[in-house]
Every structure is written in structure tokens, then in C-alpha cells.
Amino acid sequence: MQDSAYQQLRDNAHPNCFLCAPSNPRGLGLVFQIGDDGGVEATFACDDVFQSYPSTVHGGIVSSLLDSAMTNCLFAHGHVAVTFELNIRFRHPVETGSPATVRARITASSKPIHELTGEVLQQGQVKATAKAKFLEKTAGGWF
């Protein structure tokens, strides 16, 4: 999918998303890039405001980053879907004060179910991984 088509789908489906909508003035403003392999990635600054324990990004923020990356990966492939299963493994603390990269890719699709994986990397180390299942919106609605 072309970047402009991806952005239009994201803007229509997620107009005020806290994580990725450019129109949300209080949001994180994640900007996802589509890779040659069909995956997506974005950089997150890991500012101190997202801290839980000292010098550590809150696990809920890390979870949200992963969910958003996987959702945006689906947008990049023309799918609008909601998360119905999300499993996260926290391998190492994501540190404040150093940018992190969040990535996602589709591992299997059989409409209306899509399976994806994601990861958060910081300073070359995998900090968290995720596996999720998404349910695609159909003409009849979500479920």
C-alpha cells in the first residue's frame, strides 16, 4: 500500500488515536514508516514523563506502543481491525532518556483474523516482544 493510502486509512479509521493521530495535540504522535518487508516501525523518545519506576518506561506505555505498531501494520496492508488478544513479554526495562524503536509485522492472515508480532528495541537490545490477534471490521460491523 502506498504511504498516502496508508495515511488516509489511518486518519479515517483512527482520527484521534492517542498514539498515532497527528491531529491529537496531546497524543504521542508516533510516525510509522512502512518497510520493504511490509512491516512498520516508529521511534519513541522515552521521555521521563512516561516513567513508572525510576528511569523505566511504564509497562502500559510499552504495551500501547506494541499494540499501535501492530494496528498501523494492518493499516499499511489495507486492514482495519481491533485487538482481541495481546500477549507481551517484557525482556528488559525500556529506559527513559534514550529513544526506542517499535516494530511490527503480519505473520498470518485469514480474514477476518490477522496475527502479528511486534518488538521494542533500544540501543540494539530487544526490550519487549508481543504477539497479537486482530479481528477485521466487516460490512456488518466489528463482531
Side-chain angles (χ1 to χ4, degrees):
M1 178 175 265
Q2 297 284 337
D3 260 352
S4 60
Y6 151 72
Q7 290 172 3
Q8 184 175 1
L9 179 59
R10 183 206 58 217
D11 291 348
N12 289 338
H14 255 204
N16 295 305
C17 179
F18 174 70
L19 282 106
C20 67
S23 62
N24 187 336
R26 294 189 178 190
L28 300 184
L30 294 176
V31 177
F32 287 94
Q33 303 296 321
I34 303 169
D36 293 338
D37 65 353
V40 298
E41 76 173 48
T43 301
F44 179 65
C46 299
D47 294 333
D48 288 339
V49 69
F50 302 110
Q51 174 174 268
S52 58
Y53 291 99
S55 302
T56 303
V57 175
H58 192 285
I61 298 294
V62 174
S63 301
S64 296
L65 292 170
L66 288 161
D67 185 61
S68 182
M70 290 185 276
T71 299
N72 275 271
C73 187
L74 287 168
F75 291 154
H77 291 270
H79 306 293
V80 177
V82 294
T83 314
F84 77 86
E85 183 176 303
L86 176 61
N87 297 294
I88 298 171
R89 181 168 180 211
F90 298 96
R91 296 172 180 266
H92 303 281
V94 178
E95 301 167 16
T96 57
S98 178
T101 300
V102 59
R103 296 180 181 159
R105 66 182 184 90
I106 296 173
T107 56
S109 285
S110 181
K111 284 188 178 186
I113 307 296
H114 303 282
E115 296 180 31
L116 290 93
T117 59
E119 63 184 3
V120 174
L121 298 104
Q122 191 176 48
Q123 299 172 350
Q125 185 178 42
V126 175
K127 300 288 188 158
T129 58
K131 292 182 180 181
K133 292 181 182 178
F134 287 76
L135 180 65
E136 189 163 0
K137 187 174 185 178
T138 63
W142 290 109
F143 305 109

